[in-house]
Amino acid sequence: MARLSRVKPGGALGNLGRAPVPEWEEVARAAWPGRIPSGLSSFAARAYLPVLAGSLLLLVLAAWLGLPWLGLIAWLLGAAGDWLATPADPAVVRLLDLVGLRAQLRALLRSLVAAALVFGTSTGTPAGLAYVTAVLFLQLAWTAQPVLATWLSRSAPPLRYEPGAATQPRPFAASARAYASAVGTPAALVWLEFVALASALATAARLLDPVPGLVLVVLVVAAALAYLAWTGLRALAVHRDQRAWGERLLAELATADPSFLVYVSLAARQSRYIVNQWLPAMDALPRNGLVVVREANQLAPLASTRHPVVYAPTTRHVEGLTLPGVRVAFYLAYGERNATLLRDPRIRHVMLAHGDSDKATSASALIRAFDETWVAGQAAIDRFRTVGIDLGPERFAVIGRPQVAGLPVGPSGREPRVLLYAPTFEGYYEATTHSSLDVLGVELVRRVLAGHPELRVWFRPHPASGVVRPSMLAAIAEIEGLLRAAGDGNLVVADRGLTMAECLAGADVLVSDVSSVISDYLATERPVIVCDPAGLAPDAFVAAYPSQASSYLLGPDLAELDTILQQTLGDDPLREARIAMKKHVLGDPPGGPQAAFAANLDRLCESGVRGPS
């Protein structure tokens, strides 16, 4: 129970819990209008499951023992827990929603037990009937909210979003406010029912005269109807403005005259590490662009960018945003909804991907759907040909990796030196299961801390760790505990908020898995240790993952750890091989990767002629 309450959205079980959530709810969460302090909401989210179970048990006990005030406290504890946890969006609540136990039903369950408590009090029949009536009207007002949100969302235009901004453009903010009334547990309904229950219990216990007690319940019914009318009128006002909002947005975008768009359609919240790594390179392009986001859960994790970000959930939205000046569409992953735009023959479709590695996903047959693929270096092209995807040279352009162009090259010269452990996640498919985190990660960190005081350990797991194997979360927690207890420069990267680029720049040795992290770190020319959790023979490992030929190989038993660390911190015999691998993997375009990126964009925008420059 405690473990479930700690699970974050997008982590283990988090992606599963997101599956049935309506898009309008994600819009509301991308610009959450509530005023609950984030620390209080996070605490309520962590304690949610025990509070929910404990409050219900206490409420049932109060009903059996006839203790009205204990029941009132228990009801308030459960309802307040639901309300306070709503902004934090705990994954355990998503799982309850997934099995049908949504916020309205949880509230109704509390209300049924509370009604039994009122009826069981000495003169509880009239007060109980009044309370049940109030609950029915409150549930009516509550249940109407998702109906209004669904109706409103179906007519919504594309909405501009400002990543990282304290306030959103009026169309997005107004839509989010309207949708938020249907998300989780609204404060207004919690406090109205609290008044109704307190009045009913006081009346049944003869602490309040029947007439004023029942009048309070009637007022609650009237307030519930007023709440429903207010939210309905607000939805009508938003609906009335939607057409004008859409026309205004398209006019603004046409004035900016974007030459390219970035098409974002990914699994839950993957924009955090797939899209954000490309945004600085996009911002450095001299041409104007547009970021089209298909799923609302990608919005909040986005980093700020100079290019307009537009939420466009429908096919018609995408069609409208493909403005006449747009000549190129960039894709960063093989999303299932890519076909919505790929069918447009008027523009060039370019796959950038989000990293270079020997993972199976880096050489997908889906690449055939794109006009061109822009890769970091020759290694990526060879990878396609090795698996039988032999596209012509005109389908590839080598542009390097703009993301790593600014990394320092050569030894840092700092003491003590830093070992960065940055394992990948477990992958969604068996063919991409490369993570060492829950296989050898804990023991690796423990041995380095105990046997190598000359090193400081930094730990940065992949943000998606735990999407399939909950054991990954346990390993993360254990490693974080070890490093926090060790102190003295050993650190959990998340505690400092360091970016991946800052981690790579600060590390003297990288320990990772088969992933793009190793490819990016090659830019520094510093030692790389690659983990082999499957325990393959060295020749078989390099045959399967050729770009790791210049990395030191660490097996699951860690038998070679001390020897490898001695080599990497000493004469580093793989240094020359690693420098050669750097050019093979990351390329060496004239003028640098950013210039190559811009030049190839110019080529497609100005001439439309296929083939690398």
Side-chain angles (χ1 to χ4, degrees):
M1 183 181 293
R3 176 179 292 179
L4 274 177
S5 66
R6 290 196 300 269
V7 173
K8 298 178 181 179
L13 303 177
N15 288 335
L16 172 64
R18 289 188 169 276
V21 174
E23 277 291 300
W24 51 257
E25 179 171 339
E26 296 288 8
V27 171
R29 293 195 176 281
W32 189 251
R35 294 183 174 86
I36 300 173
S38 59
L40 180 59
S41 183
S42 297
F43 174 79
R46 290 192 297 271
Y48 180 80
L49 204 54
V51 167
L52 174 67
S55 64
L56 281 173
L57 289 174
L58 196 60
L59 188 56
V60 170
L61 182 63
W64 274 99
L65 299 179
L67 301 173
W69 299 113
L70 177 62
L72 183 63
I73 293 171
W75 182 93
L76 182 60
L77 184 64
D82 251 319
W83 167 52
L84 291 172
T86 294
D89 191 22
V92 64
V93 171
R94 292 290 183 108
L95 289 175
L96 291 174
D97 291 349
L98 182 63
V99 298
L101 196 60
R102 300 188 66 84
Q104 291 96 326
L105 191 55
R106 297 194 296 271
L108 186 58
L109 181 60
R110 280 191 297 269
S111 300
L112 289 174
V113 182
L117 176 61
V118 176
F119 279 113
T121 308
S122 59
T123 60
T125 300
L129 291 174
Y131 173 64
V132 168
T133 302
V135 167
L136 290 176
F137 278 91
L138 289 168
Q139 282 285 325
L140 171 65
W142 197 343
T143 304
Q145 302 312 309
V147 176
L148 288 171
T150 302
W151 168 73
L152 195 60
S153 67
R154 288 183 175 179
S155 58
L159 298 170
R160 182 164 181 175
Y161 181 79
E162 294 288 348
T167 59
Q168 290 300 321
R170 180 172 172 269
F172 197 99
S175 300
R177 283 194 298 272
Y179 299 151
S181 298
V183 178
T185 302
L189 299 182
V190 168
W191 300 116
L192 284 175
E193 185 169 352
F194 174 73
V195 171
L197 179 58
S199 302
L201 286 172
T203 302
R206 295 193 177 91
L207 297 175
L208 192 66
D209 290 336
V211 172
L214 296 178
V215 165
L216 283 173
V217 174
V218 171
L219 291 175
V220 168
V221 170
L225 293 174
Y227 178 80
L228 176 57
W230 172 68
T231 54
L233 290 172
R234 182 177 60 185
L236 285 171
V238 171
H239 179 72
R240 180 194 61 216
D241 293 338
Q242 284 178 333
R243 179 183 292 273
W245 289 343
E247 292 173 351
R248 190 179 307 126
L249 174 62
L250 290 178
E252 292 172 355
L253 294 175
T255 300
D257 192 25
S259 299
F260 67 91
L261 65 79
V262 183
Y263 187 85
V264 179
S265 180
L266 306 165
R269 297 195 174 189
Q270 286 186 343
S271 60
R272 173 177 37 171
Y273 58 91
I274 290 181
V275 182
N276 287 352
Q277 65 168 286
W278 275 105
L279 291 180
M282 298 289 181
D283 287 348
L285 292 170
R287 293 179 178 271
N288 290 331
L290 171 66
V291 181
V292 176
V293 179
R294 300 300 310 280
E295 299 91 12
N297 60 57
Q298 308 297 341
L299 295 170
L302 281 174
S304 60
T305 173
R306 75 175 184 87
H307 302 294
V309 174
V310 180
Y311 167 58
T314 73
T315 300
R316 289 186 180 276
H317 292 160
V318 175
E319 289 176 339
L321 293 170
T322 310
L323 300 169
V326 172
R327 301 294 302 277
V328 176
F330 289 121
Y331 302 80
L332 309 182
Y334 298 106
E336 293 179 2
R337 300 172 77 182
N338 286 354
T340 299
L341 186 59
L342 277 169
R343 64 190 181 87
D344 189 338
R346 299 171 300 166
I347 56 180
R348 298 299 191 202
H349 303 277
V350 177
M351 171 55 73
L352 290 177
H354 60 279
D356 183 280
S357 76
D358 288 322
K359 287 185 177 181
T361 50
S362 294
S364 170
L366 292 172
I367 200 66
R368 294 189 175 100
F370 301 90
D371 293 312
E372 294 189 13
T373 299
W374 295 3
V375 297
Q378 184 63 37
I381 300 174
D382 294 346
R383 197 177 295 124
F384 283 107
R385 292 172 178 165
T386 298
V387 298
I389 305 172
D390 194 7
L391 302 176
E394 75 280 358
R395 300 283 292 274
F396 293 99
V398 174
I399 66 168
R401 280 281 283 169
Q403 295 86 342
V404 301
L407 289 179
V409 178
S412 71
R414 292 187 300 270
E415 292 292 343
R417 285 183 278 187
V418 171
L419 180 148
L420 171 64
Y421 179 44
T424 190
F425 80 125
E426 63 271 37
Y428 296 104
Y429 313 103
E430 189 63 31
T432 57
T433 302
H434 301 293
S435 182
S436 63
L437 179 55
D438 60 345
V439 177
L440 57 88
V442 176
E443 185 61 22
L444 166 70
V445 172
R446 184 179 286 116
R447 288 196 191 184
V448 174
L449 290 175
H452 296 273
E454 75 279 9
L455 288 173
R456 297 296 178 266
V457 179
W458 291 5
F459 175 52
R460 188 190 189 279
H462 191 287
S465 297
V467 294
V468 177
R469 299 201 302 254
S471 57
M472 303 282 281
L473 295 178
I476 289 173
E478 192 167 355
I479 292 172
E480 289 178 345
L482 289 170
L483 294 176
R484 288 173 181 142
D488 191 27
N490 299 290
L491 65 88
V492 176
V493 167
D495 293 345
R496 295 281 185 87
L498 300 179
T499 65
M500 174 55 83
E502 290 170 330
C503 291
L504 297 181
D508 296 280
V509 180
L510 171 69
V511 181
S512 189
D513 308 316
V514 173
S515 73
S516 62
V517 173
I518 288 180
S519 300
D520 286 353
Y521 192 69
L522 286 172
T524 69
E525 301 180 0
R526 298 171 187 169
V528 175
I529 302 172
V530 61
C531 298
D532 174 23
L536 298 177
D539 289 345
F541 187 85
V542 172
Y545 313 111
S547 63
Q548 303 308 314
S550 63
S551 301
Y552 297 91
L553 182 60
L554 184 63
D557 58 2
L558 302 176
E560 302 295 323
L561 177 61
D562 291 334
T563 300
I564 289 174
L565 288 177
Q566 184 179 10
Q567 290 176 322
T568 58
L569 300 175
D571 57 0
D572 188 13
L574 291 180
R575 181 176 182 276
E576 293 304 319
R578 197 166 55 248
I579 292 174
M581 185 64 71
K582 170 184 175 180
K583 183 174 182 179
H584 184 58
V585 172
L586 297 179
D588 188 20
Q594 188 64 46
F597 187 27
N600 277 281
L601 177 60
D602 287 343
R603 169 177 59 82
L604 290 186
C605 288
E606 294 174 2
S607 67
V609 177
R610 302 187 189 193
S613 58

